[in-house]
Amino acid sequence: MPLWPRKTKEQTISPSGRRWRKRQDMLTANSEASSSAALGPKKPEFPAAFFLDSSACGDVKPSDLNPSVSIPQNILDILKGTDMKALCETYYKVIHAWLPIINKKVLEQKLKAMEQAQKPEESSSLVLFVLCMNLATRVLNIKCKPQSLADYKAGRVPASEAMVIHCDAWTAEYATIKHFAATVEAAGVITLNLLQSYVLIAIYEIGHGVYPAAHLSTGHAARLGTILGLHDRKDAIQVLGPSEPWAQVEEQRRTWWAVIMLEQFVNLGTQNLAQASAQGDQIDVLPCDDEVWDRGECGSNEALLPLNGSNTDRLNNTKLGSFALACQAAHFLGRVIRHRDDSATSNALHLAEAILLDRASLALMDLLHEQISAVEKHKYAAPSSANMPGILSMLSLVFCLSARLILCDTYACETPYSREMVTEEKKMQQEAMQGLREIAERVVELACYLNALPQERVMLLSPFVSHCLYFAASEYVWFSRSKDDEVTAMALQQVMSALQSLSLRWRVCGEYLRILEPDQPAKSE
C-alpha cells in the first residue's frame, strides 16, 4: 500500500496547465452556447427524403426552405449601421452594372419589409445577402508605390519597381460573413438569396485572389443551384416552386448563368478539374433584355445557341441583350474548356471539333462587333473608342477572347503527331499560331482602351477581365523569346499597364503581375 494517496489526473496538472485548461473549457462552453444561439430553436428541416428518395418526397414547404435563424449581435450591429438605400445604389453601380442578376424592385421591397417587421431572424438569407453586397462593393486599401503607376505606364520603371502594395483580402468582415453563411446554411436555409450570397462571396474571392476558397465557393454555389433545380427547369425538381411569376423565374435564370460564368472563369487557369454546374450542350434560355429587366417589366427570352458550327447564320440574325451575349459567350467558353481537357476522344474527332469551335468563335466575335454598339450605347465608353464595349458588353468580349486564346494555345505548342493525322495537325498548329497573334493583338487593343479610361471607370470593371489580360501578356512573353522587338515589348507593356490599373480594384491582378515578373516569386502574400 502506498505511503501517500495516488494523485488524480487533475492533481498532476501544473497550476499554469490548470489555468490553460480552464480557459479552454470556457472557450468551448462559449462556442457551444454561441453556436446554439445562432442556430436558434429547432425548426422544420429540409426533408431528408429529398436526397434519400426524391420520388417519395412530397412538396417542400416554404418554412422548410427558410427557417428562422437567430442573428448574432455583431451582425445586427452591422445592419443597424448600414444605409440600405446608399448600399443599393453603390451595388447597382459597382456590381449590378456588369452582373445584373438582382430584381431591383423585389430587393428593395424585401429590404423595406424586413426593416418594418424588425424580425431579421426570419430573413437570415436576406441579411447575409446585404452583408455580401457590402463585401463585394468594398474596395480594399490597395496602393501603388508613390508615382510608380504613372512611371510604369510611361515606361520609366520596370514592373518589379511598380508593384502594387496589397493588403490582405482576409479581413475581419470577410471572416465574419463566411462564418455567418455557414451558420445560415447549417440551420437548413435553402433560398435564392443564399445562392446569390455565395455568388458575391465567390466574386470577392476571385477578384482578390483568395484561393482555394474562390474555387470552393464557386462549386458550392453550383451545388446550391442544382438543389434548387436551376440547372434543368424541365426535369429537375423545382424546389422554389413550379409556378413562380415571370420576374422570379428570370431572376433565378440570371443567377444560374452567373454561377456558370464563375465556373468557367475559375477553370481558365487550371486543367482537368470537374465542374459542378453540370453545364451541357442542351438548349437553354438566355436572359431577357437588360433595360427591360431593370425597369421591372416582362421581357422575351431567346434560346441559347449551342454554336456547333452549322448555325452561325441564325446567330447573326439573333438580337441579344448585353448580359445574354455574355451568357452565350460563357457557354461557348465552357465548351472550349471541356475540349481542352478532353483526352478520351480520338485525334480525328478532337481535331474536327476544334475546327468547328474555331468557326463558331469567329461567328461569335462578328456578332459581338455588330451588337455591342447597339446594345450598350457606349454608356461607359471613352469618346475616342467608339468600337469598344461598355462595362456589361465587355464580359462577352473577354469570354470570347479567352475562349479563342485557349483554343489556339491548345494547338500552337509542338505535340507528337499521329501518323494518320500529321498533315491536318501541322496545318492546325500553323493556324493556331497565327490565331494566337491575332487574338493577342485584340487584347492589346482592349488594354489600350482600358489605359485610356479614367481610373474611376476602371474601378467599375469586372474581375473577369483580368485573366484575359494575363493570358495575352503571357503569350507576348513567349513571343518575345523568339522575337524580341520593340512592337512586342510595347504590346506587353500596354497589357501589363492595364493589369496594373485594374489591380487597384481587384487584388488578383497583382498576383498575375507577380507571375509575369521573372524576378518575382509567383506566390501569394
Side-chain angles (χ1 to χ4, degrees), residues 445-488:
E445 292 177 8
L446 175 63
C448 292
Y449 165 71
L450 297 180
N451 291 331
L453 289 177
Q455 187 62 38
E456 58 268 21
R457 290 188 178 180
V458 175
M459 302 295 281
L460 302 177
L461 296 179
S462 163
F464 294 152
V465 179
S466 60
H467 194 275
C468 178
L469 294 171
Y470 164 73
F471 205 141
S474 64
E475 294 299 333
Y476 273 106
V477 170
W478 183 45
F479 295 157
S480 65
R481 292 172 182 171
S482 58
K483 186 179 180 181
D484 189 9
D485 58 3
E486 185 178 353
V487 174
T488 301

Short mmCIF file of all heavy atoms in Angstrom, two decimals, residues 445-488:
data_model
loop_
_atom_site.label_atom_id
_atom_site.label_comp_id
_atom_site.label_asym_id
_atom_site.label_seq_id
_atom_site.Cartn_x
_atom_site.Cartn_y
_atom_site.Cartn_z
N GLU A 445 -5.54 45.86 -78.01
CA GLU A 445 -6.50 46.94 -78.29
C GLU A 445 -7.38 47.20 -77.08
O GLU A 445 -7.65 48.35 -76.71
CB GLU A 445 -7.36 46.57 -79.50
CG GLU A 445 -6.60 46.51 -80.82
CD GLU A 445 -7.50 46.07 -81.96
OE1 GLU A 445 -8.72 45.96 -81.75
OE2 GLU A 445 -6.99 45.85 -83.07
N LEU A 446 -7.85 46.11 -76.44
CA LEU A 446 -8.66 46.26 -75.23
C LEU A 446 -7.85 46.91 -74.12
O LEU A 446 -8.34 47.79 -73.40
CB LEU A 446 -9.17 44.89 -74.79
CG LEU A 446 -9.94 44.84 -73.47
CD1 LEU A 446 -11.22 45.66 -73.56
CD2 LEU A 446 -10.27 43.39 -73.09
N ALA A 447 -6.59 46.52 -73.98
CA ALA A 447 -5.73 47.09 -72.94
C ALA A 447 -5.51 48.59 -73.18
O ALA A 447 -5.53 49.39 -72.23
CB ALA A 447 -4.40 46.35 -72.90
N CYS A 448 -5.30 48.97 -74.43
CA CYS A 448 -5.12 50.40 -74.74
C CYS A 448 -6.39 51.18 -74.39
O CYS A 448 -6.31 52.32 -73.88
CB CYS A 448 -4.78 50.57 -76.21
SG CYS A 448 -3.16 49.93 -76.69
N TYR A 449 -7.53 50.58 -74.67
CA TYR A 449 -8.80 51.21 -74.32
C TYR A 449 -8.91 51.40 -72.82
O TYR A 449 -9.30 52.47 -72.32
CB TYR A 449 -9.95 50.35 -74.85
CG TYR A 449 -11.30 50.67 -74.29
CD1 TYR A 449 -11.96 51.84 -74.62
CD2 TYR A 449 -11.93 49.77 -73.43
CE1 TYR A 449 -13.21 52.12 -74.11
CE2 TYR A 449 -13.19 50.05 -72.93
CZ TYR A 449 -13.83 51.22 -73.26
OH TYR A 449 -15.06 51.49 -72.75
N LEU A 450 -8.55 50.37 -72.05
CA LEU A 450 -8.62 50.45 -70.59
C LEU A 450 -7.64 51.48 -70.05
O LEU A 450 -7.94 52.21 -69.10
CB LEU A 450 -8.34 49.08 -69.97
CG LEU A 450 -9.32 47.96 -70.31
CD1 LEU A 450 -8.90 46.66 -69.62
CD2 LEU A 450 -10.74 48.33 -69.91
N ASN A 451 -6.45 51.55 -70.65
CA ASN A 451 -5.45 52.51 -70.19
C ASN A 451 -5.88 53.96 -70.45
O ASN A 451 -5.40 54.88 -69.79
CB ASN A 451 -4.11 52.24 -70.88
CG ASN A 451 -3.48 50.94 -70.40
OD1 ASN A 451 -3.70 50.52 -69.27
ND2 ASN A 451 -2.70 50.31 -71.26
N ALA A 452 -6.77 54.14 -71.43
CA ALA A 452 -7.26 55.49 -71.74
C ALA A 452 -8.41 55.91 -70.84
O ALA A 452 -8.78 57.09 -70.80
CB ALA A 452 -7.69 55.58 -73.20
N LEU A 453 -9.00 54.95 -70.11
CA LEU A 453 -10.12 55.27 -69.24
C LEU A 453 -9.65 55.96 -67.97
O LEU A 453 -8.56 55.66 -67.46
CB LEU A 453 -10.88 54.01 -68.85
CG LEU A 453 -11.72 53.31 -69.93
CD1 LEU A 453 -12.33 52.03 -69.35
CD2 LEU A 453 -12.82 54.22 -70.45
N PRO A 454 -10.45 56.87 -67.43
CA PRO A 454 -10.13 57.43 -66.11
C PRO A 454 -10.14 56.30 -65.07
O PRO A 454 -10.87 55.32 -65.20
CB PRO A 454 -11.26 58.43 -65.85
CG PRO A 454 -11.86 58.70 -67.19
CD PRO A 454 -11.67 57.46 -68.00
N GLN A 455 -9.31 56.43 -64.03
CA GLN A 455 -9.20 55.37 -63.03
C GLN A 455 -10.53 55.06 -62.36
O GLN A 455 -10.81 53.91 -62.02
CB GLN A 455 -8.15 55.75 -61.98
CG GLN A 455 -7.83 54.63 -60.99
CD GLN A 455 -7.24 53.40 -61.65
OE1 GLN A 455 -6.46 53.51 -62.59
NE2 GLN A 455 -7.61 52.22 -61.17
N GLU A 456 -11.38 56.09 -62.19
CA GLU A 456 -12.67 55.83 -61.53
C GLU A 456 -13.56 54.91 -62.36
O GLU A 456 -14.40 54.20 -61.80
CB GLU A 456 -13.40 57.14 -61.24
CG GLU A 456 -13.69 58.03 -62.44
CD GLU A 456 -12.60 59.05 -62.69
OE1 GLU A 456 -11.47 58.84 -62.22
OE2 GLU A 456 -12.89 60.07 -63.36
N ARG A 457 -13.38 54.89 -63.67
CA ARG A 457 -14.15 53.97 -64.51
C ARG A 457 -13.52 52.58 -64.51
O ARG A 457 -14.23 51.58 -64.59
CB ARG A 457 -14.25 54.51 -65.94
CG ARG A 457 -15.13 55.74 -66.05
CD ARG A 457 -15.36 56.13 -67.50
NE ARG A 457 -16.24 57.29 -67.60
CZ ARG A 457 -16.59 57.84 -68.74
NH1 ARG A 457 -16.14 57.35 -69.88
NH2 ARG A 457 -17.40 58.90 -68.75
N VAL A 458 -12.20 52.53 -64.42
CA VAL A 458 -11.54 51.24 -64.30
C VAL A 458 -11.99 50.53 -63.03
O VAL A 458 -12.13 49.30 -63.00
CB VAL A 458 -10.01 51.42 -64.31
CG1 VAL A 458 -9.29 50.08 -64.07
CG2 VAL A 458 -9.56 52.02 -65.62
N MET A 459 -12.28 51.30 -61.99
CA MET A 459 -12.70 50.71 -60.72
C MET A 459 -14.08 50.06 -60.81
O MET A 459 -14.49 49.35 -59.89
CB MET A 459 -12.71 51.79 -59.62
CG MET A 459 -11.39 52.47 -59.41
SD MET A 459 -10.09 51.38 -58.78
CE MET A 459 -10.53 51.32 -57.05
N LEU A 460 -14.80 50.29 -61.89
CA LEU A 460 -16.12 49.70 -62.06
C LEU A 460 -16.08 48.41 -62.86
O LEU A 460 -17.13 47.77 -63.06
CB LEU A 460 -17.06 50.70 -62.76
CG LEU A 460 -17.27 52.05 -62.09
CD1 LEU A 460 -18.17 52.93 -62.95
CD2 LEU A 460 -17.88 51.88 -60.70
N LEU A 461 -14.91 48.00 -63.32
CA LEU A 461 -14.81 46.84 -64.19
C LEU A 461 -14.91 45.53 -63.41
O LEU A 461 -14.64 45.47 -62.21
CB LEU A 461 -13.49 46.87 -64.96
CG LEU A 461 -13.30 48.03 -65.94
CD1 LEU A 461 -11.94 47.94 -66.60
CD2 LEU A 461 -14.40 48.03 -66.99
N SER A 462 -15.27 44.48 -64.14
CA SER A 462 -15.39 43.14 -63.56
C SER A 462 -14.02 42.50 -63.41
O SER A 462 -13.11 42.73 -64.21
CB SER A 462 -16.27 42.28 -64.47
OG SER A 462 -16.11 40.91 -64.18
N PRO A 463 -13.84 41.64 -62.38
CA PRO A 463 -12.57 40.90 -62.27
C PRO A 463 -12.39 39.89 -63.40
O PRO A 463 -11.29 39.38 -63.61
CB PRO A 463 -12.69 40.21 -60.91
CG PRO A 463 -14.16 40.09 -60.67
CD PRO A 463 -14.75 41.32 -61.27
N PHE A 464 -13.48 39.58 -64.13
CA PHE A 464 -13.38 38.63 -65.24
C PHE A 464 -12.45 39.13 -66.35
O PHE A 464 -11.99 38.34 -67.17
CB PHE A 464 -14.76 38.35 -65.82
CG PHE A 464 -15.69 37.63 -64.89
CD1 PHE A 464 -17.06 37.80 -64.98
CD2 PHE A 464 -15.20 36.78 -63.92
CE1 PHE A 464 -17.92 37.14 -64.13
CE2 PHE A 464 -16.05 36.11 -63.05
CZ PHE A 464 -17.41 36.29 -63.15
N VAL A 465 -12.19 40.43 -66.38
CA VAL A 465 -11.30 40.99 -67.40
C VAL A 465 -9.85 40.58 -67.16
O VAL A 465 -9.05 40.51 -68.09
CB VAL A 465 -11.41 42.53 -67.42
CG1 VAL A 465 -10.49 43.15 -68.45
CG2 VAL A 465 -12.85 42.96 -67.66
N SER A 466 -9.51 40.26 -65.92
CA SER A 466 -8.11 40.09 -65.52
C SER A 466 -7.42 38.93 -66.22
O SER A 466 -6.28 39.09 -66.70
CB SER A 466 -8.03 39.91 -64.00
OG SER A 466 -8.77 38.75 -63.59
N HIS A 467 -8.04 37.77 -66.30
CA HIS A 467 -7.33 36.61 -66.84
C HIS A 467 -7.08 36.75 -68.33
O HIS A 467 -6.06 36.28 -68.84
CB HIS A 467 -8.11 35.33 -66.55
CG HIS A 467 -7.29 34.09 -66.78
ND1 HIS A 467 -7.17 33.49 -68.01
CD2 HIS A 467 -6.53 33.35 -65.94
CE1 HIS A 467 -6.38 32.43 -67.91
NE2 HIS A 467 -5.98 32.31 -66.67
N CYS A 468 -8.01 37.38 -69.03
CA CYS A 468 -7.81 37.61 -70.46
C CYS A 468 -6.56 38.46 -70.69
O CYS A 468 -5.74 38.17 -71.57
CB CYS A 468 -9.04 38.30 -71.04
SG CYS A 468 -8.93 38.72 -72.78
N LEU A 469 -6.38 39.49 -69.88
CA LEU A 469 -5.19 40.33 -69.99
C LEU A 469 -3.93 39.53 -69.65
O LEU A 469 -2.91 39.63 -70.33
CB LEU A 469 -5.31 41.54 -69.05
CG LEU A 469 -6.42 42.55 -69.38
CD1 LEU A 469 -6.56 43.57 -68.25
CD2 LEU A 469 -6.14 43.26 -70.70
N TYR A 470 -4.02 38.75 -68.59
CA TYR A 470 -2.86 37.95 -68.19
C TYR A 470 -2.46 36.94 -69.26
O TYR A 470 -1.28 36.77 -69.58
CB TYR A 470 -3.14 37.23 -66.88
CG TYR A 470 -2.17 36.11 -66.61
CD1 TYR A 470 -0.86 36.39 -66.22
CD2 TYR A 470 -2.53 34.78 -66.78
CE1 TYR A 470 0.05 35.37 -66.01
CE2 TYR A 470 -1.63 33.76 -66.57
CZ TYR A 470 -0.34 34.05 -66.18
OH TYR A 470 0.56 33.04 -65.98
N PHE A 471 -3.47 36.26 -69.82
CA PHE A 471 -3.20 35.24 -70.84
C PHE A 471 -2.48 35.87 -72.03
O PHE A 471 -1.49 35.33 -72.54
CB PHE A 471 -4.51 34.60 -71.28
CG PHE A 471 -4.36 33.20 -71.84
CD1 PHE A 471 -5.27 32.22 -71.55
CD2 PHE A 471 -3.30 32.89 -72.67
CE1 PHE A 471 -5.14 30.94 -72.06
CE2 PHE A 471 -3.15 31.60 -73.20
CZ PHE A 471 -4.08 30.63 -72.88
N ALA A 472 -2.98 37.03 -72.47
CA ALA A 472 -2.33 37.70 -73.60
C ALA A 472 -0.92 38.14 -73.24
O ALA A 472 0.01 38.02 -74.05
CB ALA A 472 -3.17 38.90 -74.04
N ALA A 473 -0.74 38.65 -72.02
CA ALA A 473 0.60 39.08 -71.60
C ALA A 473 1.57 37.90 -71.58
O ALA A 473 2.74 38.03 -72.01
CB ALA A 473 0.54 39.72 -70.22
N SER A 474 1.11 36.75 -71.11
CA SER A 474 1.98 35.57 -71.08
C SER A 474 2.34 35.13 -72.50
O SER A 474 3.46 34.64 -72.73
CB SER A 474 1.29 34.42 -70.32
OG SER A 474 0.12 33.99 -71.00
N GLU A 475 1.41 35.31 -73.44
CA GLU A 475 1.72 34.97 -74.83
C GLU A 475 2.77 35.92 -75.39
O GLU A 475 3.67 35.51 -76.14
CB GLU A 475 0.45 35.03 -75.69
CG GLU A 475 -0.59 33.98 -75.34
CD GLU A 475 -0.08 32.56 -75.54
OE1 GLU A 475 0.83 32.35 -76.38
OE2 GLU A 475 -0.57 31.66 -74.84
N TYR A 476 2.69 37.20 -75.05
CA TYR A 476 3.69 38.16 -75.54
C TYR A 476 5.06 37.89 -74.91
O TYR A 476 6.10 38.14 -75.54
CB TYR A 476 3.24 39.59 -75.27
CG TYR A 476 2.38 40.13 -76.37
CD1 TYR A 476 1.00 40.29 -76.20
CD2 TYR A 476 2.92 40.46 -77.61
CE1 TYR A 476 0.19 40.77 -77.22
CE2 TYR A 476 2.13 40.94 -78.64
CZ TYR A 476 0.76 41.09 -78.44
OH TYR A 476 -0.03 41.54 -79.47
N VAL A 477 5.07 37.40 -73.67
CA VAL A 477 6.35 36.98 -73.08
C VAL A 477 6.94 35.84 -73.89
O VAL A 477 8.14 35.80 -74.16
CB VAL A 477 6.14 36.56 -71.61
CG1 VAL A 477 7.40 35.91 -71.06
CG2 VAL A 477 5.76 37.77 -70.76
N TRP A 478 6.06 34.93 -74.30
CA TRP A 478 6.50 33.80 -75.13
C TRP A 478 6.98 34.29 -76.50
O TRP A 478 8.02 33.84 -77.01
CB TRP A 478 5.35 32.81 -75.26
CG TRP A 478 5.67 31.57 -76.04
CD1 TRP A 478 6.79 30.79 -75.92
CD2 TRP A 478 4.86 30.96 -77.04
NE1 TRP A 478 6.73 29.73 -76.79
CE2 TRP A 478 5.54 29.80 -77.49
CE3 TRP A 478 3.62 31.26 -77.59
CZ2 TRP A 478 5.03 28.97 -78.47
CZ3 TRP A 478 3.11 30.41 -78.57
CH2 TRP A 478 3.82 29.29 -79.00
N PHE A 479 6.23 35.24 -77.10
CA PHE A 479 6.64 35.79 -78.40
C PHE A 479 8.02 36.45 -78.31
O PHE A 479 8.84 36.34 -79.24
CB PHE A 479 5.63 36.82 -78.89
CG PHE A 479 4.26 36.27 -79.19
CD1 PHE A 479 3.14 37.10 -79.17
CD2 PHE A 479 4.08 34.92 -79.48
CE1 PHE A 479 1.88 36.60 -79.44
CE2 PHE A 479 2.82 34.41 -79.75
CZ PHE A 479 1.71 35.24 -79.73
N SER A 480 8.25 37.15 -77.20
CA SER A 480 9.49 37.91 -77.07
C SER A 480 10.72 37.01 -77.00
O SER A 480 11.83 37.44 -77.29
CB SER A 480 9.43 38.80 -75.83
OG SER A 480 9.37 38.01 -74.65
N ARG A 481 10.52 35.75 -76.61
CA ARG A 481 11.66 34.84 -76.53
C ARG A 481 12.18 34.47 -77.91
O ARG A 481 13.36 34.16 -78.07
CB ARG A 481 11.25 33.57 -75.77
CG ARG A 481 10.98 33.82 -74.29
CD ARG A 481 10.39 32.59 -73.62
NE ARG A 481 10.09 32.86 -72.22
CZ ARG A 481 9.40 32.03 -71.43
NH1 ARG A 481 8.94 30.88 -71.94
NH2 ARG A 481 9.16 32.35 -70.19
N SER A 482 11.28 34.47 -78.90
CA SER A 482 11.71 34.16 -80.26
C SER A 482 11.97 35.41 -81.09
O SER A 482 12.77 35.38 -82.04
CB SER A 482 10.64 33.30 -80.96
OG SER A 482 9.40 33.98 -80.99
N LYS A 483 11.30 36.52 -80.74
CA LYS A 483 11.49 37.76 -81.49
C LYS A 483 11.33 38.94 -80.54
O LYS A 483 10.24 39.43 -80.29
CB LYS A 483 10.46 37.85 -82.63
CG LYS A 483 10.68 39.05 -83.55
CD LYS A 483 9.66 39.07 -84.67
CE LYS A 483 9.87 40.25 -85.59
NZ LYS A 483 8.87 40.31 -86.69
N ASP A 484 12.43 39.37 -80.01
CA ASP A 484 12.42 40.45 -79.02
C ASP A 484 12.52 41.79 -79.74
O ASP A 484 13.59 42.37 -79.88
CB ASP A 484 13.58 40.27 -78.04
CG ASP A 484 13.49 41.24 -76.88
OD1 ASP A 484 12.45 41.92 -76.77
OD2 ASP A 484 14.45 41.32 -76.09
N ASP A 485 11.39 42.29 -80.24
CA ASP A 485 11.39 43.55 -80.97
C ASP A 485 10.62 44.60 -80.18
O ASP A 485 10.00 44.33 -79.15
CB ASP A 485 10.81 43.39 -82.37
CG ASP A 485 9.38 42.84 -82.34
OD1 ASP A 485 8.84 42.65 -81.24
OD2 ASP A 485 8.82 42.60 -83.42
N GLU A 486 10.65 45.83 -80.68
CA GLU A 486 10.02 46.95 -79.98
C GLU A 486 8.50 46.83 -79.96
O GLU A 486 7.85 47.19 -78.96
CB GLU A 486 10.43 48.26 -80.64
CG GLU A 486 9.93 49.51 -79.90
CD GLU A 486 10.40 50.79 -80.55
OE1 GLU A 486 11.23 50.72 -81.49
OE2 GLU A 486 9.95 51.87 -80.12
N VAL A 487 7.91 46.32 -81.04
CA VAL A 487 6.46 46.18 -81.12
C VAL A 487 5.96 45.22 -80.04
O VAL A 487 4.98 45.49 -79.34
CB VAL A 487 6.03 45.71 -82.52
CG1 VAL A 487 4.52 45.43 -82.55
CG2 VAL A 487 6.40 46.74 -83.56
N THR A 488 6.63 44.08 -79.91
CA THR A 488 6.24 43.10 -78.90
C THR A 488 6.40 43.68 -77.50
O THR A 488 5.53 43.50 -76.63
CB THR A 488 7.09 41.83 -79.05
OG1 THR A 488 6.90 41.28 -80.35
CG2 THR A 488 6.69 40.79 -78.01
#
